[in-house]
Amino acid sequence: MSTELRDIATKLALEAGELIATRRAGHVEVANTKSSDVDVVTAVDQESEQLLFSRLQELRPGDGFVGEEGKAQSSSTGVTWVVDPIDGTVNFLYNIPHYAVSIAAVTGEPSPGSWQVEAGVVYNPATTELFHAARGQGAYLGQRRLQIGTPPPMNLALLATGFAYSQAMRVEQVRVLSQIIGEIRDIRRMGTASLDFAAVAAGRVDIYFERTLSPWDHAAGELLVTEAGGVIQGIRDLPHGREGIFAGHPTLVTQLKARISEVGGDTLLEDVPGWGLE
Ligand code: 2AM
Ligand code: CA
């Protein structure tokens, strides 16, 4: 089943990617804001989600759907599609060629920690790089199988991370990073969570850590990492998800998790004043 779902996800990611690339060649502007003034949505995000939703209804009637821009459908088949129609919207808006369509098919309760990801596709229409995985079948960049190698020691590890839309939360995240940055090779803040997971799977960074993500930001990407031999973990003993998510080689994840905890980077979000606000 997982390969069939992966093939559908691939086909639809390419279709949505074509739409996004066409729209990006024209004029793009902010249509609305969400959690804060810097959490933006464009008409293209909504158009891409509408395309994915209606195509999935044709191809897989009865499957559930959870999309960032609000489309939702409960599942009668046990399969739910968890979709970010444009991940990295700020990059898209600024025409930085680093954004993606992220499509996952999950079974079980469609929430992190409960779901089983069956298939995941992350497609960057600006570069045409296509990352894909089916559960038990490996992770690929195009035709190339991805495998996470032996990790470097922490002082040579390249860390990908991202910051929240909330200004208060970003200040707290920089405080945590300021404690860590002298102990690693460097950081990369590339602005697209799904492509950060893909980068871990492809060995372009050694480890990834982020907080305040939503399910559609990581559903597809987490399968890329686990199918490439890495692990996904949450902060403390929590399931991975909004509170925090680590991705990478198990040795590095264990080390970074301990260090983040030592510098207070695992304070629960509800205890970080203003974490969800502008
Ligand atoms: P988006 O572009 O779809 O909004 C930026 O670090 C990355 O994290 C993007 O993939 C962005 O997704 C995602 N993200 C999700 N929730 C976020 C939040 N609360 N604050 C900042 N980025 C968030
Ligand atoms: Ca998005």
Side-chain angles (χ1 to χ4, degrees), residues 35 39 68 84 86-90 162-166 189 191-194 210 212-214 217 242:
S35 65
D39 185 0
E68 172 160 25
D84 193 340
I86 301 181
D87 187 29
T89 300
V90 175
F163 303 126
Y165 287 121
S166 146
R189 194 285 192 247
T192 302
S194 59
E210 188 152 353
T212 73
L213 290 186
S214 296
D217 296 315
R242 186 172 296 282

Side-chain angles (χ1 to χ4, degrees), residues 5 9 14 40 54 61 70 79 107 116 129 134-135 148 164 176-177 183-184 187 207 209 235 245:
L5 296 171
L14 293 170
V40 297
S54 51
V79 173
T107 50
Q116 173 151 271
E129 282 192 320
R135 187 166 66 86
I148 293 174
V176 170
L177 267 186
E183 303 168 5
I184 59 176
I187 69 150
I207 188 162
F209 168 61
I235 61 164
I245 185 162

